[in-house]
Amino acid sequence: MKLIRLFVFLFALPLFAQQGGMWIPSLLEGMNETEMQNLGMKMSAEDIYSVNQSSLKDAVPHFNGGCTSEVISPKGLVLTNHHCGYGQIQSHSSVENDYLADGFWAKSMSHELANPGMSVTFIVEITDVTEKVLKETENASSEEERQKIIEKNKQAVVENSPKEKWETNRVSTFYDGNQFMLFRVETFKDIRLVGAPPSSVGKFGSDTDNWTWPRHTGDFSLFRIYADENNRPAEYSEDNVPYTPKHYLPISLDGVAEDDFTLVFGFPGSTDEYLPSVAIEQLTETINPARIGLREVALKEQDVFMRKDKKIKIQYASKYSSIANYYKKWIGENQGMKKTDVVGKKKEQEKEFMKRVKAEGLQNEYGSILSDFDKAYAEFRDYDLAYNYFSESFLRNVELLRNGFQLYQLEQVLENRGKQSFKDRKENLLKRFKSSYKDYSAKVDEKVFEKVIEVYANKMPQQFVSSDLKQKNKAELTQEIYTNSALTSYKSLKKLMKGNPKKVIKKLNKDEGYAFIKKQAERFYEDVLPAYQNKRLEIDALQKEYMKAILTLSPKDARIFPNANGTLRVTYGQVKGYSPKDAVYYEPVTHLEGVIEKYVADDYEFDAPQTLIDLYEAKDYGNYADDGKMPVNFIGTNHTTGGNSGSPVIDAHGNLVGLNFDRVWEGTMSDFYYDPVISRNIMVDARYILFIIDKYANATHLINEMKLVHPKAGDNAVKKKRLIKNSQ
Ligand code: ARG
Ligand code: GLU
């Protein structure tokens, strides 16, 4: 009995779980290196990140600020997801050359397509600058003043730290403001589209399969980095040449098996792993249901029209996908939170935390932090809820409201910054409207408006809803606005925006749609936003203290990783299946068989190209099959999040084995709590990518640029020998 208790106590000692984590690549030596080697990695920390010699990090650029990518040839060939290159692929497409539908493969370098405005960024060096950034903050009289000093110090670090002419310095914040890192980076601006499979491969399964396993998506596209004659970043020019990378990833033809080590290297965007239980409770019980509920009505209305009208289906495909993406994620996130009992687990950790605070005699510093959180979150609740209802309704899901809100901001620009700024902003807006109204259908939007405003008026904390909106019949309101407002078409809106600033504003204010939006926006700016921001600041300051306490109270080797913040990170794990619910077990690898099983001819989600079906029937898989079958996707225990799309999945030796693109539904609560039992990331098998490039697209010239390797050749020889020995 005693023994068991002791064991439980020891087990409970680390404040946070034993797996997961997104680690800073320059700080892997020690604990992470040991863990990775224990999982089977054959490299050293220095092979992953080094300033003195080329290392893996030199092959992993941030892709256009949002996704991740990797260099896979000595000529600057870059691999990322299809959904990351989607905008570029779309921008080169027309009805005659629909690269989204048919795919695109540049026959030679001269056929590669330029993408003005696009960039990829390499990390040259990472340095801890915490001391410099926190200098003279101890004496700050308020949180605001403290933040001001920090901003000034950051600026000074950026300006005074050495760099080459073509490089940039940036400082990022870690551990809620307890650590600061300087990133010296190099940004390339001539990035050309090289290849993309058709959407029926690259987006196979679309929204139905999004966030789910088993998955069968060839979510990849290819680009190339171009540099000037000195191999330095340069604006687009015909004279530019393919970039020679410091490092590029060889690609393994041996694939992965269950339990194999994997490392995912990339730029995860944002996570919140150290929130108190009260924050998780509020998120899952109040905020997520609100956002889910509102998006649900918007999606439902759009879907009705998309199903019966082909044109609307095309017009709304991308908007629908983007609303559906997080709608679906939040549902999965809430399920995972429940299944793992994150609130209960956090409460246990908090008990342990308080015990340690007491044991260390730190009650004065941290004794009240958890009750302060309770109080702050209770006060924050309604503002946060209102903030979410407002942004989901007025900034996101109803197009007329979103456009009208931008016009409201235009009016502010005139008041605050004068006529010239107004004119510039107006031109800009008109350009944006011109392209967005192409995909606008007033009758779809009208229905969405009616349903969303109904939810908004009924579910928004009532103290923030104006009495006339409460009383007004929503169907009537909708009809009035959509009959009379100029915001329902580009033509009428353009006409309304003609004239000098004063005239435009006068006309705008007479517009029924605009007047409605302005009224709601003003209420939001007066009643919600200031209090929301104040509370946010207070909670952030508490969170910073809590983080500091966790760092101080945890043992030296505790696995306390910083939240994702868009900077380069390493996460590692193993290829592993999982059990999503009772009696169900999911294997970790899918195959082309599954594509054929899901295939529905001409379906917008599950169609597949005939060439692919022919290759399947002929089992014409080249060098890329595994035991006669073509692997497509696999899952693992790597802790990833949004921004990790396009991240390389690297084997024990430093070769590319896959391409990260999603997570499994039940495990998406890993943004707040990573559970090794059900959190899995989803990757495309590198062999499927090679197969599509080679066998499907016949782009063998691209394969010839790459370095294909057989890292397991040795293992297999050993295994075979053993087998022979055993059977003798
Ligand atoms: N869920 C993935 C991510 O968060 C993929 C999204 C793109 N695919 C889609 N069907 N919407 O970005
Ligand atoms: N698809 C996501 C992205 O664009 C990655 C999925 C996730 O959130 O893990 O980054």
PDB file of all heavy atoms in Angstrom, residues 40 58 61 77-78 84 116 119 206 234 292 303 370 374 400 406 413 420 445 541 558 585 681 694 698-699 703:
ATOM      1  N   GLY A  40      15.068   6.271 -30.722  1.00  0.00           N
ATOM      2  CA  GLY A  40      15.650   5.643 -31.910  1.00  0.00           C
ATOM      3  C   GLY A  40      16.422   6.572 -32.822  1.00  0.00           C
ATOM      4  O   GLY A  40      16.942   6.161 -33.855  1.00  0.00           O
ATOM      5  N   ASP A  58      18.767  24.334 -41.849  1.00  0.00           N
ATOM      6  CA  ASP A  58      19.039  25.098 -43.075  1.00  0.00           C
ATOM      7  C   ASP A  58      18.207  24.617 -44.257  1.00  0.00           C
ATOM      8  O   ASP A  58      18.231  25.217 -45.329  1.00  0.00           O
ATOM      9  CB  ASP A  58      20.528  25.010 -43.433  1.00  0.00           C
ATOM     10  CG  ASP A  58      21.386  25.605 -42.334  1.00  0.00           C
ATOM     11  OD1 ASP A  58      21.007  26.670 -41.820  1.00  0.00           O
ATOM     12  OD2 ASP A  58      22.413  24.993 -41.977  1.00  0.00           O
ATOM     13  N   PRO A  61      12.617  26.249 -44.394  1.00  0.00           N
ATOM     14  CA  PRO A  61      12.150  27.644 -44.341  1.00  0.00           C
ATOM     15  C   PRO A  61      10.669  27.772 -43.997  1.00  0.00           C
ATOM     16  O   PRO A  61       9.869  26.879 -44.283  1.00  0.00           O
ATOM     17  CB  PRO A  61      12.400  28.161 -45.759  1.00  0.00           C
ATOM     18  CG  PRO A  61      12.347  26.959 -46.636  1.00  0.00           C
ATOM     19  CD  PRO A  61      12.783  25.780 -45.793  1.00  0.00           C
ATOM     20  N   LEU A  77      14.785  23.259 -54.834  1.00  0.00           N
ATOM     21  CA  LEU A  77      13.411  22.753 -54.952  1.00  0.00           C
ATOM     22  C   LEU A  77      12.806  22.657 -53.552  1.00  0.00           C
ATOM     23  O   LEU A  77      13.457  22.166 -52.622  1.00  0.00           O
ATOM     24  CB  LEU A  77      13.437  21.381 -55.617  1.00  0.00           C
ATOM     25  CG  LEU A  77      12.098  20.764 -56.028  1.00  0.00           C
ATOM     26  CD1 LEU A  77      11.397  21.619 -57.068  1.00  0.00           C
ATOM     27  CD2 LEU A  77      12.319  19.347 -56.571  1.00  0.00           C
ATOM     28  N   VAL A  78      11.572  23.147 -53.415  1.00  0.00           N
ATOM     29  CA  VAL A  78      10.951  23.231 -52.099  1.00  0.00           C
ATOM     30  C   VAL A  78       9.613  22.490 -52.098  1.00  0.00           C
ATOM     31  O   VAL A  78       8.828  22.605 -53.031  1.00  0.00           O
ATOM     32  CB  VAL A  78      10.745  24.720 -51.727  1.00  0.00           C
ATOM     33  CG1 VAL A  78       9.656  24.876 -50.688  1.00  0.00           C
ATOM     34  CG2 VAL A  78      12.024  25.329 -51.207  1.00  0.00           C
ATOM     35  N   CYS A  84      -1.196  24.746 -48.706  1.00  0.00           N
ATOM     36  CA  CYS A  84      -0.356  25.926 -48.442  1.00  0.00           C
ATOM     37  C   CYS A  84      -0.047  26.688 -49.733  1.00  0.00           C
ATOM     38  O   CYS A  84       0.104  27.898 -49.724  1.00  0.00           O
ATOM     39  CB  CYS A  84       0.956  25.513 -47.778  1.00  0.00           C
ATOM     40  SG  CYS A  84       0.736  24.789 -46.155  1.00  0.00           S
ATOM     41  N   PRO A 116       4.656  36.966 -57.415  1.00  0.00           N
ATOM     42  CA  PRO A 116       5.018  38.242 -56.782  1.00  0.00           C
ATOM     43  C   PRO A 116       4.418  38.334 -55.379  1.00  0.00           C
ATOM     44  O   PRO A 116       3.279  37.918 -55.160  1.00  0.00           O
ATOM     45  CB  PRO A 116       4.388  39.297 -57.703  1.00  0.00           C
ATOM     46  CG  PRO A 116       4.001  38.590 -58.951  1.00  0.00           C
ATOM     47  CD  PRO A 116       3.944  37.131 -58.676  1.00  0.00           C
ATOM     48  N   SER A 119       7.186  34.786 -50.287  1.00  0.00           N
ATOM     49  CA  SER A 119       8.548  34.659 -49.765  1.00  0.00           C
ATOM     50  C   SER A 119       8.711  33.401 -48.914  1.00  0.00           C
ATOM     51  O   SER A 119       7.720  32.830 -48.454  1.00  0.00           O
ATOM     52  CB  SER A 119       8.886  35.883 -48.898  1.00  0.00           C
ATOM     53  OG  SER A 119       8.056  35.885 -47.764  1.00  0.00           O
ATOM     54  N   SER A 206     -11.424  16.385 -49.098  1.00  0.00           N
ATOM     55  CA  SER A 206     -11.841  17.761 -48.789  1.00  0.00           C
ATOM     56  C   SER A 206     -12.355  17.932 -47.357  1.00  0.00           C
ATOM     57  O   SER A 206     -11.703  17.496 -46.417  1.00  0.00           O
ATOM     58  CB  SER A 206     -12.892  18.179 -49.813  1.00  0.00           C
ATOM     59  OG  SER A 206     -13.060  19.559 -49.792  1.00  0.00           O
ATOM     60  N   ALA A 234      16.847  38.023 -53.582  1.00  0.00           N
ATOM     61  CA  ALA A 234      16.652  39.123 -54.532  1.00  0.00           C
ATOM     62  C   ALA A 234      15.199  39.147 -54.960  1.00  0.00           C
ATOM     63  O   ALA A 234      14.517  38.131 -54.930  1.00  0.00           O
ATOM     64  CB  ALA A 234      17.549  38.912 -55.744  1.00  0.00           C
ATOM     65  N   ILE A 292     -18.990  27.486 -32.414  1.00  0.00           N
ATOM     66  CA  ILE A 292     -19.493  26.343 -33.185  1.00  0.00           C
ATOM     67  C   ILE A 292     -20.937  26.613 -33.612  1.00  0.00           C
ATOM     68  O   ILE A 292     -21.301  26.445 -34.775  1.00  0.00           O
ATOM     69  CB  ILE A 292     -19.413  25.040 -32.348  1.00  0.00           C
ATOM     70  CG1 ILE A 292     -17.957  24.654 -32.098  1.00  0.00           C
ATOM     71  CG2 ILE A 292     -20.142  23.894 -33.057  1.00  0.00           C
ATOM     72  CD1 ILE A 292     -17.767  23.606 -30.998  1.00  0.00           C
ATOM     73  N   ASP A 303     -24.601  25.647 -47.419  1.00  0.00           N
ATOM     74  CA  ASP A 303     -24.666  24.293 -47.964  1.00  0.00           C
ATOM     75  C   ASP A 303     -25.941  24.064 -48.780  1.00  0.00           C
ATOM     76  O   ASP A 303     -25.906  23.438 -49.843  1.00  0.00           O
ATOM     77  CB  ASP A 303     -24.561  23.273 -46.822  1.00  0.00           C
ATOM     78  CG  ASP A 303     -24.513  21.852 -47.339  1.00  0.00           C
ATOM     79  OD1 ASP A 303     -23.567  21.550 -48.109  1.00  0.00           O
ATOM     80  OD2 ASP A 303     -25.418  21.061 -47.014  1.00  0.00           O
ATOM     81  N   LEU A 370      -4.078  31.304  -8.295  1.00  0.00           N
ATOM     82  CA  LEU A 370      -5.185  30.520  -8.868  1.00  0.00           C
ATOM     83  C   LEU A 370      -6.541  31.164  -8.574  1.00  0.00           C
ATOM     84  O   LEU A 370      -7.416  31.202  -9.442  1.00  0.00           O
ATOM     85  CB  LEU A 370      -5.129  29.075  -8.376  1.00  0.00           C
ATOM     86  CG  LEU A 370      -3.932  28.287  -8.950  1.00  0.00           C
ATOM     87  CD1 LEU A 370      -3.784  26.935  -8.251  1.00  0.00           C
ATOM     88  CD2 LEU A 370      -4.059  28.088 -10.460  1.00  0.00           C
ATOM     89  N   ASP A 374      -9.398  32.712 -11.128  1.00  0.00           N
ATOM     90  CA  ASP A 374     -10.842  32.441 -11.054  1.00  0.00           C
ATOM     91  C   ASP A 374     -11.635  33.738 -11.167  1.00  0.00           C
ATOM     92  O   ASP A 374     -12.592  33.837 -11.923  1.00  0.00           O
ATOM     93  CB  ASP A 374     -11.199  31.748  -9.726  1.00  0.00           C
ATOM     94  CG  ASP A 374     -10.762  30.280  -9.735  1.00  0.00           C
ATOM     95  OD1 ASP A 374     -10.455  29.765 -10.826  1.00  0.00           O
ATOM     96  OD2 ASP A 374     -10.708  29.667  -8.651  1.00  0.00           O
ATOM     97  N   LEU A 400     -21.841  40.641 -46.060  1.00  0.00           N
ATOM     98  CA  LEU A 400     -22.303  42.025 -46.034  1.00  0.00           C
ATOM     99  C   LEU A 400     -21.814  42.727 -44.757  1.00  0.00           C
ATOM    100  O   LEU A 400     -21.386  43.882 -44.787  1.00  0.00           O
ATOM    101  CB  LEU A 400     -23.833  42.069 -46.121  1.00  0.00           C
ATOM    102  CG  LEU A 400     -24.459  43.466 -46.165  1.00  0.00           C
ATOM    103  CD1 LEU A 400     -25.492  43.553 -47.281  1.00  0.00           C
ATOM    104  CD2 LEU A 400     -25.104  43.835 -44.845  1.00  0.00           C
ATOM    105  N   GLN A 406     -15.604  46.919 -42.781  1.00  0.00           N
ATOM    106  CA  GLN A 406     -14.417  47.546 -43.374  1.00  0.00           C
ATOM    107  C   GLN A 406     -14.719  48.985 -43.786  1.00  0.00           C
ATOM    108  O   GLN A 406     -13.850  49.854 -43.720  1.00  0.00           O
ATOM    109  CB  GLN A 406     -13.941  46.716 -44.561  1.00  0.00           C
ATOM    110  CG  GLN A 406     -13.351  45.399 -44.084  1.00  0.00           C
ATOM    111  CD  GLN A 406     -12.907  44.502 -45.222  1.00  0.00           C
ATOM    112  OE1 GLN A 406     -12.991  44.862 -46.391  1.00  0.00           O
ATOM    113  NE2 GLN A 406     -12.433  43.331 -44.884  1.00  0.00           N
ATOM    114  N   VAL A 413     -10.888  56.073 -40.515  1.00  0.00           N
ATOM    115  CA  VAL A 413      -9.634  56.545 -41.108  1.00  0.00           C
ATOM    116  C   VAL A 413      -9.768  58.026 -41.461  1.00  0.00           C
ATOM    117  O   VAL A 413      -8.858  58.819 -41.221  1.00  0.00           O
ATOM    118  CB  VAL A 413      -9.262  55.697 -42.351  1.00  0.00           C
ATOM    119  CG1 VAL A 413      -8.176  56.370 -43.169  1.00  0.00           C
ATOM    120  CG2 VAL A 413      -8.813  54.308 -41.926  1.00  0.00           C
ATOM    121  N   GLN A 420      -6.124  62.028 -47.320  1.00  0.00           N
ATOM    122  CA  GLN A 420      -5.249  61.217 -48.182  1.00  0.00           C
ATOM    123  C   GLN A 420      -5.314  59.745 -47.778  1.00  0.00           C
ATOM    124  O   GLN A 420      -5.452  58.857 -48.621  1.00  0.00           O
ATOM    125  CB  GLN A 420      -3.809  61.746 -48.153  1.00  0.00           C
ATOM    126  CG  GLN A 420      -2.914  61.175 -49.248  1.00  0.00           C
ATOM    127  CD  GLN A 420      -3.556  61.254 -50.656  1.00  0.00           C
ATOM    128  OE1 GLN A 420      -4.050  62.298 -51.076  1.00  0.00           O
ATOM    129  NE2 GLN A 420      -3.575  60.139 -51.383  1.00  0.00           N
ATOM    130  N   ASP A 445     -26.077  35.118 -48.966  1.00  0.00           N
ATOM    131  CA  ASP A 445     -25.658  35.948 -47.842  1.00  0.00           C
ATOM    132  C   ASP A 445     -26.857  36.423 -47.016  1.00  0.00           C
ATOM    133  O   ASP A 445     -26.773  36.527 -45.790  1.00  0.00           O
ATOM    134  CB  ASP A 445     -24.857  37.143 -48.370  1.00  0.00           C
ATOM    135  CG  ASP A 445     -23.992  37.768 -47.291  1.00  0.00           C
ATOM    136  OD1 ASP A 445     -23.339  37.004 -46.546  1.00  0.00           O
ATOM    137  OD2 ASP A 445     -23.979  39.004 -47.177  1.00  0.00           O
ATOM    138  N   ALA A 541      -0.946  39.164 -17.623  1.00  0.00           N
ATOM    139  CA  ALA A 541       0.037  39.416 -16.568  1.00  0.00           C
ATOM    140  C   ALA A 541       0.017  38.268 -15.544  1.00  0.00           C
ATOM    141  O   ALA A 541       1.070  37.809 -15.090  1.00  0.00           O
ATOM    142  CB  ALA A 541      -0.238  40.749 -15.884  1.00  0.00           C
ATOM    143  N   ALA A 558      12.472  19.136 -15.915  1.00  0.00           N
ATOM    144  CA  ALA A 558      11.046  18.979 -16.259  1.00  0.00           C
ATOM    145  C   ALA A 558      10.830  19.345 -17.724  1.00  0.00           C
ATOM    146  O   ALA A 558      11.540  20.172 -18.279  1.00  0.00           O
ATOM    147  CB  ALA A 558      10.208  19.868 -15.361  1.00  0.00           C
ATOM    148  N   TYR A 585      -9.883   0.453 -33.153  1.00  0.00           N
ATOM    149  CA  TYR A 585      -8.465   0.778 -33.204  1.00  0.00           C
ATOM    150  C   TYR A 585      -8.103   1.211 -34.622  1.00  0.00           C
ATOM    151  O   TYR A 585      -8.496   0.552 -35.589  1.00  0.00           O
ATOM    152  CB  TYR A 585      -7.615  -0.436 -32.785  1.00  0.00           C
ATOM    153  CG  TYR A 585      -6.136  -0.139 -32.920  1.00  0.00           C
ATOM    154  CD1 TYR A 585      -5.492   0.689 -31.999  1.00  0.00           C
ATOM    155  CD2 TYR A 585      -5.396  -0.644 -33.997  1.00  0.00           C
ATOM    156  CE1 TYR A 585      -4.149   1.001 -32.136  1.00  0.00           C
ATOM    157  CE2 TYR A 585      -4.049  -0.329 -34.130  1.00  0.00           C
ATOM    158  CZ  TYR A 585      -3.427   0.492 -33.206  1.00  0.00           C
ATOM    159  OH  TYR A 585      -2.113   0.814 -33.359  1.00  0.00           O
ATOM    160  N   ASN A 681      -0.528  13.443 -35.267  1.00  0.00           N
ATOM    161  CA  ASN A 681      -0.440  14.299 -36.448  1.00  0.00           C
ATOM    162  C   ASN A 681      -0.555  13.429 -37.694  1.00  0.00           C
ATOM    163  O   ASN A 681      -0.254  12.227 -37.654  1.00  0.00           O
ATOM    164  CB  ASN A 681       0.867  15.101 -36.456  1.00  0.00           C
ATOM    165  CG  ASN A 681       2.087  14.231 -36.652  1.00  0.00           C
ATOM    166  OD1 ASN A 681       2.194  13.174 -36.031  1.00  0.00           O
ATOM    167  ND2 ASN A 681       2.995  14.656 -37.504  1.00  0.00           N
ATOM    168  N   ASP A 694       6.425  11.065 -60.190  1.00  0.00           N
ATOM    169  CA  ASP A 694       7.093  10.208 -61.167  1.00  0.00           C
ATOM    170  C   ASP A 694       6.087   9.465 -62.044  1.00  0.00           C
ATOM    171  O   ASP A 694       6.010   9.673 -63.260  1.00  0.00           O
ATOM    172  CB  ASP A 694       7.978   9.222 -60.379  1.00  0.00           C
ATOM    173  CG  ASP A 694       8.843   8.368 -61.302  1.00  0.00           C
ATOM    174  OD1 ASP A 694       8.602   8.373 -62.528  1.00  0.00           O
ATOM    175  OD2 ASP A 694       9.752   7.690 -60.783  1.00  0.00           O
ATOM    176  N   ASN A 698       4.702  11.958 -64.604  1.00  0.00           N
ATOM    177  CA  ASN A 698       5.883  11.749 -65.452  1.00  0.00           C
ATOM    178  C   ASN A 698       6.894  12.883 -65.357  1.00  0.00           C
ATOM    179  O   ASN A 698       7.581  13.184 -66.334  1.00  0.00           O
ATOM    180  CB  ASN A 698       5.465  11.578 -66.922  1.00  0.00           C
ATOM    181  CG  ASN A 698       4.653  10.319 -67.119  1.00  0.00           C
ATOM    182  OD1 ASN A 698       5.007   9.261 -66.591  1.00  0.00           O
ATOM    183  ND2 ASN A 698       3.548  10.426 -67.838  1.00  0.00           N
ATOM    184  N   ALA A 699       6.968  13.520 -64.219  1.00  0.00           N
ATOM    185  CA  ALA A 699       7.929  14.617 -64.056  1.00  0.00           C
ATOM    186  C   ALA A 699       9.250  14.049 -63.525  1.00  0.00           C
ATOM    187  O   ALA A 699       9.740  14.455 -62.465  1.00  0.00           O
ATOM    188  CB  ALA A 699       7.351  15.681 -63.131  1.00  0.00           C
ATOM    189  N   ILE A 703      12.390  14.220 -60.094  1.00  0.00           N
ATOM    190  CA  ILE A 703      12.922  13.109 -59.292  1.00  0.00           C
ATOM    191  C   ILE A 703      14.451  13.070 -59.431  1.00  0.00           C
ATOM    192  O   ILE A 703      15.170  12.869 -58.443  1.00  0.00           O
ATOM    193  CB  ILE A 703      12.319  11.762 -59.762  1.00  0.00           C
ATOM    194  CG1 ILE A 703      10.789  11.784 -59.676  1.00  0.00           C
ATOM    195  CG2 ILE A 703      12.928  10.589 -58.995  1.00  0.00           C
ATOM    196  CD1 ILE A 703      10.189  11.571 -58.322  1.00  0.00           C
TER     197      ILE A 703
END
